[in-house]
Amino acid sequence: MKVTRSVHDLETLSADVLVVGHYADSGLTPAAAAVDRASSGVIQRLRASGEAAGKPLEVTLLHELPGVNVRLVALFGLGESTKLDAGTVFRSAAAAAKQIAAKARERVAFFSDPQWTGALTESALAGAIVGCQGQDLYRSQKNRFPFGELLFTTADPVAFAIGRILGESTNLTRRLVNEPPSEIYPDSFAQVAASTAKNAQLECEIWDESRLNAERCGALLAVARGSARPPRLVILEHRGGGPQAPTLALVGKGVTFDSGGLSIKPTDGMKTMKCDMAGAATVLGAMRAIGLLNLPINVQGYCGLVENMISGDAYKLGDVLRARNGKTIEVLNTDAEGRLVLADVLDVAVERGASRIIDLATLTGACVVALGNDVAGAMTNDEPWCQLILGAARACGEPIWQLPMFKEYGEQIKSEVADIKNVGDGRWGGAITAAKFLEEFVGGRPWTHLDIAGPAFLESPKPWLDAGATGAFVRTLVDVAKRFGE
Ligand code: BES
Ligand code: MN
Ligand code: ZN
Protein backbone atom coordinates (compact mmCIF):
# COMPACT_ATOMS: atom_id res chain seq x y z
CA MET A 1 0.00 0.00 0.00
CA LYS A 2 1.32 3.38 -1.00
CA VAL A 3 1.28 5.78 1.94
CA THR A 4 1.68 9.44 1.12
CA ARG A 5 1.31 12.68 2.96
CA SER A 6 -1.12 15.23 1.69
CA VAL A 7 -1.71 18.84 2.66
CA HIS A 8 -4.77 19.22 0.48
CA ASP A 9 -8.07 20.36 1.82
CA LEU A 10 -11.35 18.87 0.81
CA GLU A 11 -11.88 21.15 -2.16
CA THR A 12 -8.63 20.40 -3.96
CA LEU A 13 -8.40 16.69 -3.23
CA SER A 14 -9.10 13.79 -5.51
CA ALA A 15 -9.90 10.54 -3.73
CA ASP A 16 -12.39 7.67 -3.64
CA VAL A 17 -12.99 7.81 0.09
CA LEU A 18 -12.72 10.58 2.68
CA VAL A 19 -12.13 9.60 6.28
CA VAL A 20 -12.98 12.30 8.81
CA GLY A 21 -13.33 12.20 12.58
CA HIS A 22 -15.63 13.71 15.18
CA TYR A 23 -15.80 13.84 18.95
CA ALA A 24 -18.48 12.80 21.37
CA ASP A 25 -18.32 16.10 23.24
CA SER A 26 -16.77 18.95 21.31
CA GLY A 27 -17.95 18.37 17.78
CA LEU A 28 -16.27 17.97 14.45
CA THR A 29 -12.67 17.91 13.34
CA PRO A 30 -12.02 20.62 10.71
CA ALA A 31 -12.24 18.03 7.92
CA ALA A 32 -15.58 16.73 9.18
CA ALA A 33 -16.79 20.32 9.47
CA ALA A 34 -15.84 20.92 5.86
CA VAL A 35 -17.82 17.85 4.77
CA ASP A 36 -20.71 19.08 6.87
CA ARG A 37 -20.68 22.52 5.23
CA ALA A 38 -20.43 21.06 1.73
CA SER A 39 -23.36 18.73 2.40
CA SER A 40 -25.52 21.40 4.07
CA GLY A 41 -25.26 19.94 7.53
CA VAL A 42 -25.63 16.19 7.07
CA ILE A 43 -23.11 15.37 9.77
CA GLN A 44 -24.60 17.73 12.33
CA ARG A 45 -28.02 16.23 11.65
CA LEU A 46 -26.64 12.72 12.18
CA ARG A 47 -25.21 13.89 15.47
CA ALA A 48 -28.41 15.60 16.54
CA SER A 49 -30.43 12.46 15.87
CA GLY A 50 -27.90 10.32 17.76
CA GLU A 51 -27.23 8.28 14.62
CA ALA A 52 -23.55 9.15 14.93
CA ALA A 53 -22.48 9.95 18.47
CA GLY A 54 -18.72 10.25 18.02
CA LYS A 55 -17.91 7.31 20.26
CA PRO A 56 -14.60 5.52 19.81
CA LEU A 57 -14.78 2.65 17.26
CA GLU A 58 -18.03 3.98 15.80
CA VAL A 59 -17.81 4.27 12.01
CA THR A 60 -20.61 5.66 9.83
CA LEU A 61 -20.35 5.23 6.09
CA LEU A 62 -22.01 8.02 4.10
CA HIS A 63 -22.47 7.30 0.41
CA GLU A 64 -23.02 9.91 -2.30
CA LEU A 65 -23.40 12.89 -0.01
CA PRO A 66 -24.95 15.79 -1.91
CA GLY A 67 -22.43 18.58 -2.42
CA VAL A 68 -19.43 16.32 -1.82
CA ASN A 69 -17.66 15.10 -4.92
CA VAL A 70 -16.13 12.05 -3.25
CA ARG A 71 -18.53 9.13 -3.35
CA LEU A 72 -17.87 7.72 0.10
CA VAL A 73 -17.26 9.51 3.37
CA ALA A 74 -16.36 7.53 6.48
CA LEU A 75 -17.18 9.42 9.64
CA PHE A 76 -15.42 7.91 12.62
CA GLY A 77 -15.79 8.57 16.32
CA LEU A 78 -12.92 9.66 18.55
CA GLY A 79 -14.69 9.80 21.91
CA GLU A 80 -14.30 12.74 24.23
CA SER A 81 -11.75 15.20 22.94
CA THR A 82 -10.28 15.78 26.40
CA LYS A 83 -9.69 12.05 26.86
CA LEU A 84 -8.21 11.35 23.45
CA ASP A 85 -5.03 9.32 23.83
CA ALA A 86 -2.74 7.41 21.51
CA GLY A 87 -4.43 4.05 22.10
CA THR A 88 -7.91 5.43 21.39
CA VAL A 89 -6.87 7.23 18.24
CA PHE A 90 -4.98 4.16 17.01
CA ARG A 91 -7.97 1.89 17.48
CA SER A 92 -10.50 4.40 16.15
CA ALA A 93 -8.47 5.03 13.01
CA ALA A 94 -7.93 1.28 12.58
CA ALA A 95 -11.67 0.64 12.95
CA ALA A 96 -12.40 3.17 10.20
CA ALA A 97 -9.72 1.71 7.92
CA LYS A 98 -10.92 -1.82 8.58
CA GLN A 99 -14.47 -1.02 7.50
CA ILE A 100 -13.41 0.84 4.39
CA ALA A 101 -11.04 -1.97 3.43
CA ALA A 102 -13.94 -4.40 3.11
CA LYS A 103 -13.89 -3.37 -0.57
CA ALA A 104 -11.03 -2.49 -2.91
CA ARG A 105 -10.30 1.27 -2.88
CA GLU A 106 -7.86 3.21 -5.00
CA ARG A 107 -7.25 6.40 -3.04
CA VAL A 108 -8.33 6.89 0.53
CA ALA A 109 -7.84 10.33 2.05
CA PHE A 110 -7.55 10.19 5.81
CA PHE A 111 -7.71 13.49 7.67
CA SER A 112 -5.92 14.07 10.94
CA ASP A 113 -7.01 16.83 13.28
CA PRO A 114 -4.57 19.78 13.20
CA GLN A 115 -5.11 20.05 16.98
CA TRP A 116 -3.48 16.68 17.57
CA THR A 117 -0.03 16.33 19.07
CA GLY A 118 2.63 14.52 17.09
CA ALA A 119 2.02 11.37 19.12
CA LEU A 120 -1.71 11.37 18.32
CA THR A 121 -1.06 11.99 14.64
CA GLU A 122 1.48 9.15 14.52
CA SER A 123 -0.95 6.79 16.21
CA ALA A 124 -3.80 7.67 13.87
CA LEU A 125 -1.68 6.94 10.81
CA ALA A 126 -0.28 3.74 12.32
CA GLY A 127 -3.83 2.63 13.13
CA ALA A 128 -5.05 3.34 9.61
CA ILE A 129 -2.20 1.28 8.16
CA VAL A 130 -2.79 -1.63 10.55
CA GLY A 131 -6.60 -1.66 10.30
CA CYS A 132 -6.79 -2.25 6.57
CA GLN A 133 -4.50 -5.30 6.57
CA GLY A 134 -6.09 -8.66 7.33
CA GLN A 135 -5.14 -12.27 7.93
CA ASP A 136 -6.46 -13.45 4.55
CA LEU A 137 -2.96 -13.96 3.14
CA TYR A 138 -3.93 -17.08 1.21
CA ARG A 139 -7.56 -16.38 0.34
CA SER A 140 -8.31 -15.98 -3.36
CA GLN A 141 -11.25 -13.79 -2.40
CA LYS A 142 -9.88 -11.31 0.08
CA ASN A 143 -11.83 -10.09 3.07
CA ARG A 144 -9.68 -7.02 3.48
CA PHE A 145 -8.19 -4.81 0.76
CA PRO A 146 -5.26 -2.56 1.69
CA PHE A 147 -5.84 0.68 -0.17
CA GLY A 148 -4.12 1.41 -3.44
CA GLU A 149 -2.98 4.62 -1.81
CA LEU A 150 -3.48 6.03 1.65
CA LEU A 151 -3.32 9.82 1.51
CA PHE A 152 -2.84 11.00 5.04
CA THR A 153 -3.50 14.66 5.57
CA THR A 154 -1.29 16.35 8.13
CA ALA A 155 0.91 19.41 8.26
CA ASP A 156 3.41 17.49 10.39
CA PRO A 157 5.90 15.63 8.19
CA VAL A 158 7.75 14.16 11.19
CA ALA A 159 4.65 12.60 12.71
CA PHE A 160 3.73 11.34 9.26
CA ALA A 161 7.09 9.62 8.83
CA ILE A 162 6.99 8.09 12.31
CA GLY A 163 3.38 6.93 12.03
CA ARG A 164 4.07 5.26 8.74
CA ILE A 165 7.11 3.43 10.07
CA LEU A 166 5.18 2.28 13.16
CA GLY A 167 2.20 1.07 11.14
CA GLU A 168 4.26 -0.75 8.54
CA SER A 169 6.51 -2.33 11.16
CA THR A 170 3.46 -3.55 13.08
CA ASN A 171 2.13 -5.07 9.88
CA LEU A 172 5.46 -6.82 9.28
CA THR A 173 5.12 -8.45 12.70
CA ARG A 174 1.51 -9.37 11.99
CA ARG A 175 2.26 -10.87 8.61
CA LEU A 176 5.06 -13.05 9.98
CA VAL A 177 2.78 -14.35 12.73
CA ASN A 178 -0.12 -14.89 10.34
CA GLU A 179 2.00 -16.82 7.84
CA PRO A 180 1.56 -20.59 8.20
CA PRO A 181 4.33 -22.63 9.79
CA SER A 182 5.02 -24.23 6.41
CA GLU A 183 6.23 -20.81 5.26
CA ILE A 184 7.74 -19.36 8.41
CA TYR A 185 10.22 -21.66 10.08
CA PRO A 186 13.56 -20.78 11.68
CA ASP A 187 15.57 -20.36 8.49
CA SER A 188 12.86 -18.54 6.52
CA PHE A 189 12.23 -16.20 9.46
CA ALA A 190 15.96 -15.51 9.59
CA GLN A 191 15.96 -14.68 5.87
CA VAL A 192 13.14 -12.18 6.37
CA ALA A 193 15.07 -10.72 9.29
CA ALA A 194 18.19 -10.38 7.12
CA SER A 195 16.38 -8.51 4.36
CA THR A 196 14.51 -6.34 6.86
CA ALA A 197 17.81 -5.51 8.54
CA LYS A 198 19.29 -4.45 5.23
CA ASN A 199 16.42 -2.06 4.50
CA ALA A 200 16.44 -0.62 8.01
CA GLN A 201 20.23 -0.27 8.23
CA LEU A 202 20.60 -2.76 11.04
CA GLU A 203 23.51 -5.09 11.45
CA CYS A 204 22.41 -8.68 11.28
CA GLU A 205 24.13 -11.85 12.34
CA ILE A 206 22.59 -15.30 11.95
CA TRP A 207 23.78 -18.26 13.96
CA ASP A 208 23.10 -21.61 12.34
CA GLU A 209 23.05 -24.96 14.06
CA SER A 210 26.79 -25.48 14.04
CA ARG A 211 27.41 -22.03 15.51
CA LEU A 212 24.77 -22.67 18.17
CA ASN A 213 26.62 -25.90 18.96
CA ALA A 214 29.94 -24.15 19.15
CA GLU A 215 28.32 -21.60 21.47
CA ARG A 216 27.04 -24.39 23.76
CA CYS A 217 23.38 -23.40 23.44
CA GLY A 218 22.32 -26.74 24.91
CA ALA A 219 18.83 -25.71 26.00
CA LEU A 220 17.78 -24.15 22.71
CA LEU A 221 19.30 -27.00 20.73
CA ALA A 222 17.45 -29.61 22.77
CA VAL A 223 14.10 -28.08 21.82
CA ALA A 224 15.12 -27.92 18.17
CA ARG A 225 16.24 -31.53 17.99
CA GLY A 226 12.83 -33.04 17.24
CA SER A 227 12.39 -30.92 14.13
CA ALA A 228 13.57 -31.40 10.58
CA ARG A 229 13.96 -27.61 10.46
CA PRO A 230 17.24 -26.52 12.01
CA PRO A 231 17.21 -23.67 14.56
CA ARG A 232 18.59 -20.17 14.12
CA LEU A 233 19.53 -17.26 16.32
CA VAL A 234 19.14 -13.86 14.71
CA ILE A 235 21.06 -10.99 16.27
CA LEU A 236 20.15 -7.52 15.03
CA GLU A 237 21.96 -4.40 16.07
CA HIS A 238 21.28 -0.70 15.81
CA ARG A 239 24.16 1.50 16.90
CA GLY A 240 22.64 4.93 17.25
CA GLY A 241 24.39 5.83 20.50
CA GLY A 242 28.07 6.32 21.19
CA PRO A 243 30.42 3.44 22.03
CA GLN A 244 30.09 4.30 25.75
CA ALA A 245 26.30 4.48 25.69
CA PRO A 246 24.29 1.70 27.35
CA THR A 247 22.67 -1.04 25.27
CA LEU A 248 19.04 -2.04 25.27
CA ALA A 249 18.41 -5.70 24.41
CA LEU A 250 15.09 -6.92 23.02
CA VAL A 251 14.77 -10.70 23.16
CA GLY A 252 11.97 -12.65 21.47
CA LYS A 253 10.71 -16.20 21.69
CA GLY A 254 10.58 -17.53 18.15
CA VAL A 255 9.02 -21.00 18.29
CA THR A 256 7.77 -21.11 14.72
CA PHE A 257 5.48 -23.97 15.63
CA ASP A 258 4.81 -25.46 19.06
CA SER A 259 3.41 -28.98 18.90
CA GLY A 260 4.31 -29.44 22.56
CA GLY A 261 6.89 -32.08 21.65
CA LEU A 262 6.44 -35.41 23.42
CA SER A 263 4.23 -33.61 25.95
CA ILE A 264 2.05 -33.14 22.92
CA LYS A 265 -0.74 -30.58 22.81
CA PRO A 266 -4.30 -31.57 21.97
CA THR A 267 -5.58 -30.28 18.62
CA ASP A 268 -7.43 -27.36 20.14
CA GLY A 269 -4.35 -26.09 21.91
CA MET A 270 -2.12 -26.66 18.89
CA LYS A 271 -4.10 -25.09 16.13
CA THR A 272 -2.92 -21.52 16.74
CA MET A 273 0.64 -22.45 17.63
CA LYS A 274 2.06 -20.78 14.54
CA CYS A 275 1.72 -17.71 16.76
CA ASP A 276 4.43 -18.97 19.10
CA MET A 277 7.05 -16.89 17.32
CA ALA A 278 5.18 -13.66 18.02
CA GLY A 279 7.81 -12.50 20.52
CA ALA A 280 10.54 -12.78 17.88
CA ALA A 281 8.33 -11.13 15.25
CA THR A 282 7.60 -8.27 17.64
CA VAL A 283 11.31 -7.79 18.22
CA LEU A 284 11.92 -7.75 14.47
CA GLY A 285 9.11 -5.25 13.87
CA ALA A 286 10.38 -2.98 16.63
CA MET A 287 14.00 -3.23 15.44
CA ARG A 288 12.90 -2.27 11.94
CA ALA A 289 11.20 0.82 13.31
CA ILE A 290 14.13 1.70 15.56
CA GLY A 291 16.53 1.39 12.63
CA LEU A 292 14.40 3.43 10.24
CA LEU A 293 13.82 6.10 12.89
CA ASN A 294 17.54 6.06 13.57
CA LEU A 295 16.97 6.48 17.30
CA PRO A 296 20.06 7.86 19.08
CA ILE A 297 20.66 4.76 21.22
CA ASN A 298 22.22 1.33 21.02
CA VAL A 299 19.72 -1.49 20.67
CA GLN A 300 20.20 -5.20 20.05
CA GLY A 301 17.39 -7.49 18.94
CA TYR A 302 17.52 -11.24 19.46
CA CYS A 303 15.21 -13.78 17.84
CA GLY A 304 15.59 -17.33 19.17
CA LEU A 305 14.11 -19.51 16.42
CA VAL A 306 13.17 -23.17 16.74
CA GLU A 307 10.35 -25.52 15.88
CA ASN A 308 9.10 -27.70 18.77
CA MET A 309 8.35 -31.06 17.16
CA ILE A 310 8.46 -34.78 17.70
CA SER A 311 10.82 -37.32 16.18
CA GLY A 312 12.87 -40.33 17.23
CA ASP A 313 15.51 -37.84 18.27
CA ALA A 314 13.24 -35.38 20.11
CA TYR A 315 14.21 -34.29 23.61
CA LYS A 316 12.54 -36.26 26.37
CA LEU A 317 11.06 -35.93 29.83
CA GLY A 318 13.81 -36.57 32.33
CA ASP A 319 16.52 -35.27 30.03
CA VAL A 320 19.02 -32.98 31.69
CA LEU A 321 20.26 -30.10 29.57
CA ARG A 322 23.22 -27.83 30.08
CA ALA A 323 22.31 -24.24 29.22
CA ARG A 324 24.84 -21.85 27.76
CA ASN A 325 25.45 -20.18 31.13
CA GLY A 326 26.37 -23.57 32.64
CA LYS A 327 23.19 -24.20 34.61
CA THR A 328 21.67 -27.67 34.31
CA ILE A 329 17.97 -28.09 33.58
CA GLU A 330 15.79 -31.13 34.19
CA VAL A 331 13.10 -31.37 31.51
CA LEU A 332 9.77 -32.47 32.96
CA ASN A 333 7.53 -31.13 30.20
CA THR A 334 8.64 -30.65 26.60
CA ASP A 335 5.81 -28.17 26.12
CA ALA A 336 7.57 -25.73 28.45
CA GLU A 337 10.02 -25.11 25.60
CA GLY A 338 9.95 -21.33 25.28
CA ARG A 339 11.84 -20.80 28.51
CA LEU A 340 14.53 -23.23 27.32
CA VAL A 341 15.01 -21.29 24.10
CA LEU A 342 15.08 -17.97 25.93
CA ALA A 343 17.52 -19.27 28.55
CA ASP A 344 20.33 -19.46 26.01
CA VAL A 345 19.34 -16.34 24.08
CA LEU A 346 19.22 -14.25 27.27
CA ASP A 347 22.70 -15.47 28.10
CA VAL A 348 24.00 -14.35 24.71
CA ALA A 349 22.44 -10.91 25.29
CA VAL A 350 24.13 -10.69 28.69
CA GLU A 351 27.48 -11.71 27.22
CA ARG A 352 27.16 -9.14 24.45
CA GLY A 353 26.82 -6.35 26.95
CA ALA A 354 23.10 -5.72 27.33
CA SER A 355 22.64 -3.06 30.01
CA ARG A 356 18.93 -3.68 30.28
CA ILE A 357 16.79 -6.45 28.83
CA ILE A 358 13.17 -6.95 27.79
CA ASP A 359 12.02 -10.31 26.59
CA LEU A 360 8.72 -10.96 24.86
CA ALA A 361 7.24 -14.41 24.68
CA THR A 362 3.98 -16.24 24.13
CA LEU A 363 5.17 -18.16 27.14
CA THR A 364 2.29 -19.54 29.19
CA GLY A 365 -1.37 -20.34 29.01
CA ALA A 366 -1.31 -19.54 32.72
CA CYS A 367 -0.78 -15.86 31.94
CA VAL A 368 -3.93 -15.91 29.81
CA VAL A 369 -5.79 -17.57 32.69
CA ALA A 370 -4.57 -14.82 35.02
CA LEU A 371 -5.08 -11.74 32.84
CA GLY A 372 -7.27 -12.72 29.91
CA ASN A 373 -6.63 -12.37 26.22
CA ASP A 374 -6.08 -8.64 25.97
CA VAL A 375 -3.49 -7.99 28.66
CA ALA A 376 0.17 -8.95 28.79
CA GLY A 377 1.87 -9.94 32.04
CA ALA A 378 5.04 -8.18 33.15
CA MET A 379 7.55 -9.76 35.52
CA THR A 380 10.79 -8.15 36.53
CA ASN A 381 13.90 -8.22 38.69
CA ASP A 382 14.16 -4.41 38.56
CA GLU A 383 11.22 -2.24 39.52
CA PRO A 384 12.33 1.04 37.86
CA TRP A 385 13.00 -0.72 34.58
CA CYS A 386 9.58 -2.35 34.68
CA GLN A 387 7.93 1.00 35.49
CA LEU A 388 9.55 2.61 32.46
CA ILE A 389 8.09 -0.14 30.27
CA LEU A 390 4.65 0.07 31.88
CA GLY A 391 4.72 3.83 31.30
CA ALA A 392 5.52 3.37 27.62
CA ALA A 393 2.78 0.77 27.26
CA ARG A 394 0.27 3.09 28.93
CA ALA A 395 1.23 5.91 26.57
CA CYS A 396 0.67 3.63 23.58
CA GLY A 397 -2.59 2.19 24.91
CA GLU A 398 -1.28 -1.38 25.04
CA PRO A 399 -2.35 -2.94 28.35
CA ILE A 400 0.18 -4.69 30.57
CA TRP A 401 -0.29 -5.76 34.19
CA GLN A 402 2.54 -6.57 36.53
CA LEU A 403 2.69 -9.89 38.36
CA PRO A 404 4.72 -10.43 41.54
CA MET A 405 8.07 -12.20 41.65
CA PHE A 406 8.13 -13.32 45.31
CA LYS A 407 10.96 -15.70 46.02
CA GLU A 408 8.49 -18.44 47.01
CA TYR A 409 7.69 -18.91 43.34
CA GLY A 410 11.35 -19.64 42.70
CA GLU A 411 11.25 -22.58 45.13
CA GLN A 412 8.99 -24.37 42.69
CA ILE A 413 11.59 -24.70 39.96
CA LYS A 414 14.28 -26.33 42.11
CA SER A 415 15.16 -29.84 40.99
CA GLU A 416 16.53 -32.85 42.87
CA VAL A 417 18.50 -33.90 39.82
CA ALA A 418 19.71 -30.69 38.25
CA ASP A 419 20.02 -27.01 39.16
CA ILE A 420 16.47 -26.25 38.06
CA LYS A 421 13.56 -27.90 36.30
CA ASN A 422 11.55 -26.43 33.46
CA VAL A 423 8.15 -26.49 35.17
CA GLY A 424 6.79 -25.51 38.57
CA ASP A 425 4.95 -27.86 40.93
CA GLY A 426 1.56 -28.09 39.29
CA ARG A 427 0.12 -25.42 37.10
CA TRP A 428 -0.87 -22.69 39.57
CA GLY A 429 1.09 -19.50 39.17
CA GLY A 430 2.57 -20.87 35.97
CA ALA A 431 3.23 -17.49 34.40
CA ILE A 432 5.42 -16.53 37.34
CA THR A 433 7.29 -19.81 37.77
CA ALA A 434 8.17 -19.46 34.07
CA ALA A 435 9.51 -15.95 34.74
CA LYS A 436 11.47 -17.24 37.72
CA PHE A 437 13.08 -19.73 35.37
CA LEU A 438 14.07 -16.98 32.92
CA GLU A 439 15.51 -14.89 35.73
CA GLU A 440 18.19 -17.56 36.18
CA PHE A 441 19.67 -16.54 32.83
CA VAL A 442 19.82 -12.75 32.92
CA GLY A 443 23.02 -12.50 34.93
CA GLY A 444 21.47 -10.04 37.36
CA ARG A 445 20.91 -7.40 34.66
CA PRO A 446 17.81 -5.23 34.90
CA TRP A 447 15.29 -7.34 33.05
CA THR A 448 11.55 -7.39 32.38
CA HIS A 449 9.70 -10.31 30.90
CA LEU A 450 6.48 -9.69 28.96
CA ASP A 451 4.26 -12.73 28.58
CA ILE A 452 2.21 -11.94 25.47
CA ALA A 453 0.46 -15.32 25.11
CA GLY A 454 -2.93 -13.55 25.29
CA PRO A 455 -2.57 -10.31 23.32
CA ALA A 456 -0.31 -11.54 20.49
CA PHE A 457 -3.06 -13.41 18.68
CA LEU A 458 -6.83 -12.92 18.42
CA GLU A 459 -9.12 -15.90 17.98
CA SER A 460 -11.98 -13.61 17.06
CA PRO A 461 -11.87 -10.18 15.44
CA LYS A 462 -12.04 -6.81 17.18
CA PRO A 463 -13.89 -3.85 15.67
CA TRP A 464 -10.49 -2.38 14.80
CA LEU A 465 -8.60 -5.51 13.84
CA ASP A 466 -9.03 -8.75 11.96
CA ALA A 467 -8.57 -11.91 13.97
CA GLY A 468 -5.09 -13.43 13.98
CA ALA A 469 -1.86 -11.61 14.74
CA THR A 470 -2.14 -8.24 16.45
CA GLY A 471 1.38 -6.83 16.31
CA ALA A 472 0.90 -5.92 19.96
CA PHE A 473 3.81 -4.13 21.65
CA VAL A 474 5.74 -3.08 18.56
CA ARG A 475 4.74 0.51 19.33
CA THR A 476 5.44 0.07 23.03
CA LEU A 477 8.94 -1.27 22.35
CA VAL A 478 9.75 1.70 20.14
CA ASP A 479 8.49 4.01 22.88
CA VAL A 480 10.62 2.16 25.42
CA ALA A 481 13.62 2.67 23.16
CA LYS A 482 12.92 6.42 22.99
CA ARG A 483 12.61 6.63 26.78
CA PHE A 484 15.74 4.53 27.23
CA GLY A 485 17.72 7.24 25.47
CA GLU A 486 16.42 10.04 27.69
N1 BES B 1 3.39 -21.58 23.58
C1 BES B 1 2.84 -22.09 24.78
C2 BES B 1 2.02 -21.04 25.55
C3 BES B 1 0.80 -20.45 24.88
C4 BES B 1 -0.46 -20.88 25.24
C5 BES B 1 0.92 -19.43 23.96
C6 BES B 1 -1.57 -20.32 24.66
C7 BES B 1 -0.20 -18.88 23.37
C8 BES B 1 -1.45 -19.32 23.72
C9 BES B 1 3.94 -22.58 25.69
O1 BES B 1 5.06 -23.09 25.06
C10 BES B 1 3.36 -23.67 26.53
O2 BES B 1 2.99 -24.66 25.96
N2 BES B 1 3.31 -23.47 27.83
C11 BES B 1 2.80 -24.44 28.71
C12 BES B 1 3.68 -24.48 29.94
C13 BES B 1 3.41 -25.63 30.85
C14 BES B 1 3.73 -26.94 30.18
C15 BES B 1 4.24 -25.46 32.09
C16 BES B 1 1.37 -24.05 29.09
O3 BES B 1 1.09 -22.85 29.19
O4 BES B 1 0.55 -24.94 29.23
MN1 MN C 1 4.85 -25.11 24.57
ZN1 ZN D 1 5.47 -22.41 23.22
Side-chain angles (χ1 to χ4, degrees):
M1 181 170 72
K2 221 167 113 189
V3 182
T4 46
R5 186 169 78 94
S6 149
V7 289
H8 286 85
D9 52 27
L10 227 51
E11 286 72 34
T12 58
L13 186 86
S14 99
D16 306 300
V17 187
L18 296 180
V19 189
V20 298
H22 66 143
Y23 298 97
D25 51 353
S26 62
L28 312 183
T29 59
V35 171
D36 190 57
R37 278 193 305 276
S39 64
S40 318
V42 165
I43 294 181
Q44 289 295 13
R45 285 200 296 280
L46 286 170
R47 286 171 63 87
S49 69
E51 199 60 49
K55 292 198 190 112
L57 310 183
E58 177 194 85
V59 183
T60 312
L61 297 185
L62 306 167
H63 295 269
E64 313 273 353
L65 277 185
V68 177
N69 61 8
V70 176
R71 296 183 67 182
L72 177 59
V73 173
L75 176 69
F76 71 107
L78 287 156
E80 305 208 354
S81 55
T82 50
K83 289 190 190 149
L84 189 65
D85 57 22
T88 307
V89 80
F90 177 90
R91 287 185 290 271
S92 299
K98 183 187 171 201
Q99 278 215 21
I100 299 160
K103 295 212 164 62
R105 317 280 182 191
E106 264 323 302
R107 273 158 73 86
V108 174
F110 198 113
F111 285 84
S112 67
D113 187 335
Q115 303 273 333
W116 289 346
T117 61
L120 290 174
T121 307
E122 286 162 20
S123 300
L125 176 54
I129 292 171
V130 168
C132 64
Q133 177 67 252
Q135 65 164 343
D136 52 3
L137 303 179
Y138 293 88
R139 274 182 70 106
S140 323
Q141 293 180 348
K142 300 295 184 194
N143 293 322
R144 216 54 72 201
F145 300 85
F147 315 138
E149 182 175 4
L150 171 61
L151 269 175
F152 189 83
T153 299
T154 174
D156 183 344
V158 176
F160 172 81
I162 297 173
R164 180 180 174 189
I165 289 168
L166 290 174
E168 291 177 349
S169 299
T170 303
N171 277 350
L172 167 65
T173 298
R174 294 176 64 219
R175 181 176 67 77
L176 285 170
V177 175
N178 279 334
E179 285 280 358
S182 54
E183 294 296 317
I184 290 296
Y185 44 88
D187 185 57
S188 66
F189 184 113
Q191 295 314 318
V192 175
S195 70
T196 302
K198 207 163 166 207
N199 295 329
Q201 286 173 45
L202 303 164
E203 291 164 43
C204 176
E205 199 178 316
I206 298 173
W207 290 10
D208 63 7
E209 206 169 10
S210 69
R211 177 74 190 266
L212 288 161
N213 256 305
E215 297 277 350
R216 309 172 319 283
C217 294
L220 182 152
L221 284 164
V223 177
R225 230 170 56 210
S227 171
R229 308 278 196 193
R232 297 286 185 270
L233 172 61
V234 173
I235 306 175
L236 302 162
E237 186 150 12
H238 168 73
R239 292 181 211 260
Q244 305 304 323
T247 298
L248 167 65
L250 311 177
V251 175
K253 170 180 173 181
V255 176
T256 58
F257 184 69
D258 182 11
S259 73
L262 287 170
S263 312
I264 193 166
K265 288 182 184 293
T267 296
D268 256 353
M270 204 189 293
K271 64 190 181 194
T272 59
M273 279 303 131
K274 68 175 184 183
C275 84
D276 215 17
M277 34 59 80
T282 308
V283 168
L284 179 59
M287 287 302 293
R288 176 188 185 272
I290 289 164
L292 290 175
L293 294 170
N294 200 12
L295 295 186
I297 57 165
N298 297 329
V299 192
Q300 298 171 345
Y302 295 84
C303 304
L305 301 161
V306 306
E307 201 182 53
N308 188 22
M309 295 291 284
I310 299 181
S311 79
D313 193 36
Y315 78 134
K316 305 173 192 72
L317 288 76
D319 274 354
V320 174
L321 317 176
R322 185 176 296 278
R324 190 170 187 272
N325 76 347
K327 293 193 181 174
T328 55
I329 305 166
E330 183 186 14
V331 176
L332 292 178
N333 190 320
T334 60
D335 198 12
E337 85 297 340
R339 66 198 74 183
L340 299 172
V341 173
L342 289 173
D344 285 338
V345 181
L346 288 167
D347 183 63
V348 176
V350 169
E351 186 182 278
R352 294 203 161 201
S355 327
R356 290 193 241 165
I357 304 172
I358 309 182
D359 81 75
L360 294 98
T362 46
L363 202 63
T364 68
C367 197
V368 189
V369 172
L371 299 175
N373 268 315
D374 299 328
V375 181
M379 287 142 271
T380 190
N381 64 355
D382 188 276
E383 200 50 41
W385 178 221
C386 188
Q387 287 305 326
L388 184 148
I389 295 159
L390 295 179
R394 220 175 294 121
C396 296
E398 302 197 283
I400 303 181
W401 193 255
Q402 192 178 357
L403 301 173
M405 286 281 275
F406 301 125
K407 65 177 187 313
E408 286 80 358
Y409 291 103
E411 297 297 320
Q412 286 197 36
I413 57 165
K414 289 186 173 156
S415 160
E416 294 300 322
V417 176
D419 297 327
I420 47 177
K421 54 185 163 79
N422 78 330
V423 286
D425 305 323
R427 58 203 175 92
W428 307 121
I432 305 173
T433 48
K436 280 289 176 189
F437 182 96
L438 298 179
E439 191 179 12
E440 299 282 330
F441 300 91
V442 300
R445 302 292 160 87
W447 153 83
T448 298
H449 159 60
L450 299 181
D451 193 329
I452 59 171
F457 199 83
L458 295 172
E459 301 228 17
S460 48
K462 300 279 192 191
W464 66 92
L465 202 63
D466 250 14
T470 61
F473 302 110
V474 170
R475 285 179 299 124
T476 293
L477 287 184
V478 176
D479 205 58
V480 166
K482 288 182 184 160
R483 292 168 190 232
F484 184 84
E486 283 163 4

